[in-house]
Amino acid sequence: MKLGKILLTFLLLTAAGGALLLVKQNQDVRRGAAAGILNLSLSPGTRVTKKVGEKLTYTINYSGPAGSKVETVQSKVCYGPEIVFKSATGNTANGFKSEVLSKTLAANSAGLTCTFVTVVADDTATTCTTKLANAGQAMTLNFEAVRKGGPRAITLVEADTKGTIYVPGSAEKLLNGKIGGNGEYEIIDGASDCRPLWGIVNSEPDGDGTTEREVEKYCKEFSSCDNQITIIGQAYETKEECEAALNGDTPILNYKVSFAYVNATASECAENWPVQVIALHGETKKVYTNVIMKNKKIVGDKVTFEGSLPLVGFPYKKDVAVFFKGPKHLQMKYAVQNQTTSYGKAGGELVLTSDPATSIQYDFSGYPMLPGDLVGNDSDTPDGWINGRDFSYIKNHADHTTVKHGEYLHTDLNGDCQANSGDVNALKKSLEFKQDQLY
């Protein structure tokens, strides 16, 4: 066998596509075309149902001409944005190398992603003579469910299905491929459409279409799907700011906050609410958007959220105040430890350090963010007021619409996963305060 040549050929086929494939086919014509077809199929061929975060495993099975030994299998597998390709392993029991060559392409206009996979025979005489067979399992493909969706097909592409056979005493020959069966999957119960990752995110995708940056795993939390980036944690502008947050002299705000009228016995949808935070010192303000309230704690009848926010680009550590504004809440000002009412003055008294371990955790949960800022004047965007428009809006939507645990419903003010009279009553209580705190 000429396995080194085979390995190189299939690497080039994966990277370069059709032009090199034609070259290879012409060479095979000169040596004598192989008789027969390489048949490939995916297993399981029935629908696979998984939840977001769970793994999906498929095998590629092959069948070559009678009397031959298949030593190389290549195909392209295509799938939707609900799953991502993680890894593949060759079947060593059938004489293949455990390493699988893979190349994932950018998603196409239909939203499908395709991955080339190629496995070759182990380069030993013993393997070639005793393990290679004309039929069996070639490799295992491993995927992860990342968003709810489907049912959708997972398919092998016949035009990109090729293989080589080995016959002792003759040159290896290229086989055309034929697909004998594909699979299907459905992803259910997905609270999030995307997969969370940690890393520094650049604004442009890689040359191969990917948008993940996992080389430096710190600072910025983001999610990635549909070839797009969405920041779901601290949104630093540059890599340098990200590094400064970890290593520099950046003030750290350790906080504990709460949302008014969230019931501890029914708060399954008070999860991961995005908050805007503004740091204030004198006339200097710095805005931090999309700060996710994730560390949820329930003690007795109280629901709180704790976190640690590096105030990147904000140089002050004394006489600081901060404003928190929830996604459907008035903006509240916090300026002292254990605050339970409006501060009522300009400025603030918070003292910060650059060490999360020594910076005080400020407990603002006794003065919760008030819900009810749902819409604006002729706009669906909250405007910093709770008024008749918000009241009319929530009354019209208190129709017992229900969502699953962990999902977001704009008119669910108390986090019980339903829009009902309890949310109307919560807004009535908030009407006394009416406007964002601004100074």
Side-chain angles (χ1 to χ4, degrees):
M1 289 191 300
K2 304 176 182 178
L3 294 177
K5 181 178 178 181
I6 296 168
L7 177 60
L8 176 60
T9 298
F10 277 83
L11 274 171
L12 292 174
L13 285 175
T14 300
L20 288 173
L21 183 58
L22 290 174
V23 172
K24 173 65 178 170
Q25 287 174 321
N26 288 338
Q27 291 173 344
D28 290 323
V29 169
R30 289 195 299 270
R31 289 191 305 217
I37 295 291
L38 178 69
N39 290 285
L40 291 189
S41 64
L42 275 178
S43 180
T46 55
R47 183 182 301 177
V48 174
T49 301
K50 294 289 184 178
K51 295 181 179 180
V52 170
E54 292 184 336
K55 310 300 181 185
L56 296 85
T57 301
Y58 291 89
T59 61
I60 293 182
N61 307 302
Y62 68 96
S63 176
S68 68
K69 293 188 176 184
V70 176
E71 62 180 8
T72 307
V73 174
Q74 173 195 317
S75 190
K76 183 168 71 172
V77 57
C78 296
Y79 43 91
E82 301 84 6
I83 64 175
V84 293
F85 175 77
K86 303 298 288 186
S87 64
T89 305
N91 183 12
T92 57
N94 279 355
F96 295 106
K97 290 180 179 290
S98 61
E99 178 187 8
V100 173
L101 309 175
S102 64
K103 173 75 171 179
T104 298
L105 308 178
N108 62 26
S109 59
L112 296 180
T113 299
C114 297
T115 300
F116 277 98
V117 286
T118 301
V119 66
V120 301
D122 196 4
D123 192 8
T124 67
T126 301
T127 296
C128 290
T129 56
T130 63
K131 292 185 178 180
L132 287 180
N134 76 317
Q137 182 188 113
M139 62 187 111
T140 300
L141 309 181
N142 301 305
F143 297 84
E144 182 179 347
V146 295
R147 60 183 296 184
K148 183 178 178 180
R152 188 190 293 269
I154 177 170
T155 62
L156 299 173
V157 178
E158 190 164 296
D160 294 296
T161 295
K162 304 292 176 184
T164 58
I165 62 171
Y166 169 63
V167 179
S170 66
E172 70 278 356
K173 298 177 178 64
L174 188 71
L175 289 167
N176 290 323
K178 183 177 181 180
I179 304 304
N182 291 301
E184 186 180 84
Y185 64 83
E186 182 175 15
I187 309 304
I188 61 173
D189 295 336
S192 171
D193 279 346
C194 304
R195 49 199 163 114
L197 301 166
W198 282 93
I200 292 176
V201 184
N202 294 331
S203 59
E204 297 297 328
D206 288 333
D208 62 0
T210 62
T211 50
E212 299 169 24
R213 299 294 194 278
E214 297 186 80
V215 177
E216 300 169 87
K217 293 180 178 293
Y218 54 79
C219 287
K220 186 183 290 186
E221 188 179 8
F222 63 94
S223 64
S224 173
C225 67
D226 290 346
N227 204 32
Q228 300 292 324
I229 288 292
T230 302
I231 304 300
I232 58 175
Q234 176 67 44
Y236 303 109
E237 296 296 328
T238 65
K239 173 181 175 180
E240 288 70 29
E241 281 191 358
C242 187
E243 291 171 336
L246 185 72
N247 304 315
D249 193 24
T250 298
I252 303 296
L253 174 66
N254 293 328
Y255 60 84
K256 179 191 291 187
V257 296
S258 64
F259 299 96
Y261 317 127
V262 171
N263 189 337
T265 60
S267 62
E268 293 85 357
C269 285
E271 300 278 353
N272 297 319
W273 283 353
V275 168
Q276 175 181 279
V277 179
I278 300 176
L280 171 71
H281 175 87
E283 299 297 320
T284 302
K285 289 183 179 180
K286 181 73 174 179
V287 180
Y288 305 89
T289 59
N290 211 26
V291 179
I292 306 300
M293 300 292 99
K294 298 201 313 184
N295 190 9
K296 179 180 177 181
K297 294 189 176 181
I298 300 177
V299 179
D301 61 353
K302 190 171 184 179
V303 180
T304 62
F305 298 83
E306 299 180 6
S308 183
L309 176 64
L311 302 180
V312 175
F314 184 78
Y316 302 101
K317 297 181 181 178
K318 294 183 180 180
D319 301 326
V320 173
V322 291
F323 299 87
F324 278 67
K325 181 176 178 61
K328 43 197 167 187
H329 301 78
L330 288 180
Q331 179 171 282
M332 312 296 287
K333 179 182 179 180
Y334 301 108
V336 293
Q337 177 67 292
N338 299 318
Q339 187 172 329
T340 58
T341 187
S342 174
Y343 183 61
K345 297 184 290 184
E349 303 172 33
L350 305 182
V351 177
L352 310 173
T353 76
S354 57
D355 184 353
T358 62
S359 201
I360 298 169
Q361 184 189 62
Y362 284 101
D363 187 351
F364 307 133
S365 62
Y367 187 48
M369 284 173 267
L370 294 168
D373 183 15
L374 299 170
V375 295
N377 185 14
D378 299 323
S379 169
D380 291 334
T381 303
D383 60 0
W385 290 81
I386 299 178
N387 53 30
R389 292 186 184 88
D390 301 296
F391 185 67
S392 176
Y393 182 86
I394 199 166
K395 281 189 66 178
N396 291 334
H397 290 80
D399 54 2
H400 297 279
T401 297
T402 302
V403 295
K404 294 179 180 180
H405 289 183
E407 294 186 353
Y408 182 82
L409 179 63
H410 191 52
T411 49
D412 175 20
L413 303 187
N414 58 12
D416 66 355
C417 303
Q418 188 176 92
N420 53 31
S421 60
D423 304 300
V424 177
N425 292 331
L427 190 143
K428 286 180 179 178
K429 295 176 185 178
S430 296
L431 271 171
E432 177 183 349
F433 294 85
K434 295 188 178 179
Q435 184 184 6
D436 279 348
Q437 296 177 21
L438 301 173
Y439 66 92

